[in-house]
Amino acid sequence: MAIGEATSDSQAEGTGVEPAASGAGEGAGEAAHRQAVRRKWLLLAPALAILVFAASGPLLIVLVYSFLSPGPYGGVEWAFSTEGWFRVFFTRDIFDDTVGPADAHLSIFWRSVQLSVLTTLLAFLFGFPTAYFIATRERNREVWLFLITIPFWTNLLIRTFAIMEVIRNEGIINTALIALGLIEQPIQILFTDFSILLGMTYVYLPLMVLPLYASMDKIDFRLVEAAYDLYATRWQALRRVIFPLVKPGVIAGSILVFIPSLGAYVTPRVLGGGKNLMVGNLIELQFGQGRNWPLGAALSITLLVIVMVALILYVRNASRSGAEHG
Amino acid sequence: MATAAVEAQRVSKVFGEGPDQVVALDAVDVQIRQNEFFTLLGPSGCGKTTLLRLIAGFDHPTGGSILLNGEEMSGLPPFKRPVNTVFQNYALFPHMTVAGNIAFGLEMLGKGKAEVAETVDRMLKLVRMEALKDRQTSQISGGQQQRVALARALAPHPQVLLLDEPLSALDLKLRKEMQIELKRLQHETGITFIFVTHDQEEALTMSDRIAVMNHGKILQIGSPREVYDHPAERFVANFIGETNLIEADVLAIADGSARLRLGSGVETEADLPDGMEGRNRVTVAVRPEHASLADTDPTLSGQLETVVYFGTDTHYHVRLDGGDLFTVRTQNTRDGGEAHAPGSPIGIRIAEKSVQVLRD
Ligand SMILES: Nc1ncnc2c1ncn2[C@@H]1O[C@H](COP(=O)(O)OP(=O)(O)OP(=O)(O)O)[C@@H](O)[C@H]1O
Ligand SMILES: [Mg+2]
């Protein structure tokens, strides 16, 4: 778990540094300039320190480990090997040594991406009306925002077990449905992809709602009236006025939900019942029972690359379609 | 008579409930004619914006009904009304260019690309903004924004254009220019304008008719001349232009006209508004420019308190014998006329037919 999420954290912080670095002060005297530079570095130092020690360092270790050989009881032996990376993409048959694609890994990656995209979409579908509702309240917005953050007060594991309690075969939903006579056999919800999706959407929903709210809060809702006045229907006003204006919030929210979803560990572990793995579980497996640290390390790096590529594609796409609207 | 462009029938609007309820409009009746430049004039909070919002359909009346071209509008959303608004704060779309803003309404009406482009160009020319067509709306000045807001509202050629204090944010010079421009636009397009302002001078110079509002009620509707020369009520007389209010005795009434005795016993003739018969004491209004200083047989007499020089004219503030303050305005001439020293006793003469009896 730690590794899967550390990679995504370093991602988020890495992007935060650039704007500060580009604000160089040119101008007056040489001395003043030097002082400005010194101050800039001083201000940057804490962030840099955290990045180097807490993110880049471990990341480097992971990268190095991915090119070593597995130790017999976990850990690594200091011998260069590309076996870890090879095993990410290919399998070797134990009996005849024939090489084939690592279908299991690929499908787990693919499933993870699919589930994360779906989670992001669901979080958006539920989060958008929620944020809109809060942003259009005249009073008590703080109260609603406060309510949104309540789930964060409880440990993730406990919340996840709570969901389990609701959806398991003997849980609240099934018991109620049976008691009402609507079904005879409990519906299998727990340990399906659906239950993972449900859990992740629930867990990450606030991460969508808050940035959406932040950008909706800035909208002057008189603009929506102006759109109605100019013959826009409700749907057109939403699409042509509200949506373009909350786009920064949509981008931020999607990133905040997508990245941790992709590296999620607890939710798929508990609600997927160990059958329905996601990348996070696969990686943990290699560091635990699998005793193949190099493979685990290589999988972690692969996840990191996927996240980065997805991010770049997404942000580029989003800003391009933003430009179309002028 | 043709159907009214907009008609309000006993329209009321109440905000809130219980103890903090606000009556923003109180049984307002008004008929606005086709192609009219109609102005709603009144102090802040008197319900001008509320009335516009009801006409546009952003809010719904709590009582009465609103008709556009004789058709009842209740329940019709704003996007189904042939009405456009120039908002008090402009409300331009910040994510679109100047041209994009102007095109919006036309696009929503499903006009073809060529027609949209053609109309946008025509509108840009009309408000003289061709050069800035591709600018973001955040990168143009307040006066330019106001013109874009105007072009955007005019582009779909509504039957009625609502303008909510569109000039209030502009400096005096630009404001005068825009007043002329607005008049020209109204003339050229033949659209009915409903214009909101709390600036009485603006209302007088631009309107065909003015409705003076206060506390959610329309107090008087009439041409600028009518409301200025014949204010029906104390509030109207005070709100439009400067005015002197004095008490008068009613001596006799004949055919809606009354014989009045002012201050020092001088008698004069004045029209009596409906419902004022049977009163023996009334309040009358006299405009400062309808009075002059007089040494011989004055209508009123008192003591000169202050003299204020305004360039084109001079204001004399006179403390009447009864204790009220009375202002006289005289046009300045090159030779300056005779000087009056503050503190000296002075007479005031009121011109014939310039006394207006007020309803109260
Ligand atoms: N949404 C609302 N809720 C409660 N009261 C309101 C609301 N909108 C307006 N009011 C009240 O109704 C009255 C009329 O408001 P309105 O906005 O129509 O005034 P206005 O004549 O346009 O004033 P201004 O010249 O300042 O724009 C005011 O007392 C105002 O406080
Ligand atoms: Mg207003």
Side-chain angles (χ1 to χ4, degrees), chain B residues 29-87:
Chain B
D29 270 309
V30 62
Q31 288 198 349
I32 296 159
R33 300 173 192 141
Q34 306 287 347
N35 300 353
E36 190 171 29
F37 197 115
F38 191 88
T39 297
L40 297 173
L41 174 66
S44 188
C46 71
K48 306 181 295 289
T49 299
T50 306
L51 184 54
L52 285 201
R53 290 177 59 82
L54 296 183
I55 296 172
F58 300 133
D59 275 330
H60 298 286
T62 35
S65 48
I66 289 175
L67 285 74
L68 258 75
N69 286 318
E71 272 178 60
E72 161 75 59
M73 285 287 118
S74 69
L76 219 55
F79 50 86
K80 292 199 177 142
R81 301 186 183 205
V83 173
N84 285 156
T85 310
V86 179
F87 292 87

